[in-house]
Amino acid sequence: LDVKAGSGAFMKDLDRARELASLLKETARRCGKAVRIAITDMDQPLGSCVGNALEVREAFDALQGRGPARFRSLCLQLAALTLEASGMASDREAALIHAEEALASGKAIEKAEQWLRAQGAAGVPGEADLPRAPVVTEMLCEQGPGFAARVDAETVGQCVVDLGGGRRRKDDPVDLSVGVEVLVEVGSGLEPGTPLFRVHARDQASAQAAQARLLSAVRLSDQSPPLRPLIHDVL
């Protein structure tokens, strides 16, 4: 299980996330299930894509060893924990090696292809198979030089909801094509002109509104900030 902590998570506070993880662990024990629970960071976006079609593309990129290193690393470590919990690996180190080999050899994307075809899909989607937003704009840094001290996951997520990529009410329609690509992460060096975000929107007006909101998502610092761990704890 993956319990997230941070601004973009259900549990904003690390102590509350640990409390939730402990309760889930006890629930699993009472049900006779062997689980591992990773408490992971969601103070900044995990990958570079936020939005339905964009995240699907990034997921298949990760299965082919591409995309953001932070996202790929967590996928591998969660896979390793699953292998360990299921008894398919003797320990976490061996499990991680097994997961890395599956990714490098192409077995991971082959298994995804099998899953998709078993459910009636045509297979792994290509770029042309995914919905595309009609308006794509890039937002550049106007300050600096400096470092990204914060890239707020909650602000980015709310921005995608504003674009139409999420629901405020359960009957709201969802635009699968819209979203935000996050082009920096905490610790990135910034200067005027550095790309910060790429906004995928249904029209110019919503793209401009998204850029205005995203101004508050990035905070600059004169010094390189301390980095939060990707995995805070494993239960």
Side-chain angles (χ1 to χ4, degrees):
L1 302 178
D2 181 3
V3 175
K4 296 196 175 297
S7 73
F10 179 67
M11 291 301 184
K12 313 294 184 188
D13 179 81
L14 185 55
D15 288 338
R16 295 293 307 280
R18 284 199 172 98
E19 182 181 354
L20 174 59
S22 295
L23 291 170
L24 290 169
K25 184 83 169 180
E26 177 61 17
T27 301
R29 186 192 67 77
R30 295 187 184 195
C31 293
K33 301 296 182 184
V35 302
R36 301 293 186 276
I37 301 177
I39 301 174
T40 64
D41 183 59
M42 189 51 86
D43 216 41
Q44 65 173 315
L46 177 58
S48 64
C49 293
V50 186
N52 295 272
L54 295 175
E55 290 183 39
V56 169
R57 184 189 73 192
E58 187 168 60
F60 284 112
D61 280 347
L63 283 166
Q64 296 173 83
R66 303 195 300 259
R70 188 168 179 266
F71 176 52
R72 188 170 62 253
S73 174
L74 182 59
C75 291
L76 285 166
Q77 293 183 66
L78 293 179
L81 288 171
T82 305
L83 290 168
E84 182 188 23
S86 66
M88 294 182 67
S90 57
D91 55 43
R92 199 169 306 162
E93 183 178 357
L96 184 58
I97 292 172
H98 185 88
E100 289 172 340
E101 288 175 347
L103 191 63
S105 67
K107 289 182 179 179
I109 192 67
E110 288 175 8
K111 180 58 67 177
E113 183 95 24
Q114 292 174 23
W115 286 341
L116 289 165
R117 293 192 184 281
Q119 296 176 76
V124 174
E127 189 75 26
D129 300 317
L130 297 171
R132 291 188 179 190
V135 175
V136 180
T137 62
E138 202 162 89
M139 181 176 168
L140 306 180
C141 183
E142 298 179 353
Q143 304 176 43
F147 298 90
R150 184 165 178 76
V151 183
D152 186 63
E154 184 174 26
T155 300
V156 175
Q158 288 299 325
C159 180
V160 174
V161 173
D162 291 344
L163 285 165
R167 294 184 178 91
R168 298 188 186 281
R169 298 165 55 90
K170 64 180 181 181
D171 55 349
D172 286 345
V174 173
D175 188 336
L176 302 179
S177 70
V178 301
V180 174
E181 289 182 78
V182 183
L183 306 178
V184 295
E185 58 185 42
V186 172
S188 295
L190 301 178
E191 59 185 37
T194 301
L196 298 177
F197 301 101
R198 189 174 295 121
V199 177
H200 298 249
R202 59 180 65 158
D203 52 47
Q204 288 288 352
S206 59
Q208 290 173 2
Q211 289 191 13
R213 183 162 193 167
L214 288 169
L215 284 172
S216 64
V218 178
R219 189 176 74 240
L220 269 69
S221 171
D222 293 336
Q223 298 181 339
S224 182
L227 301 181
R228 287 166 63 99
L230 182 57
I231 296 180
H232 294 285
D233 203 357
V234 174
L235 278 67

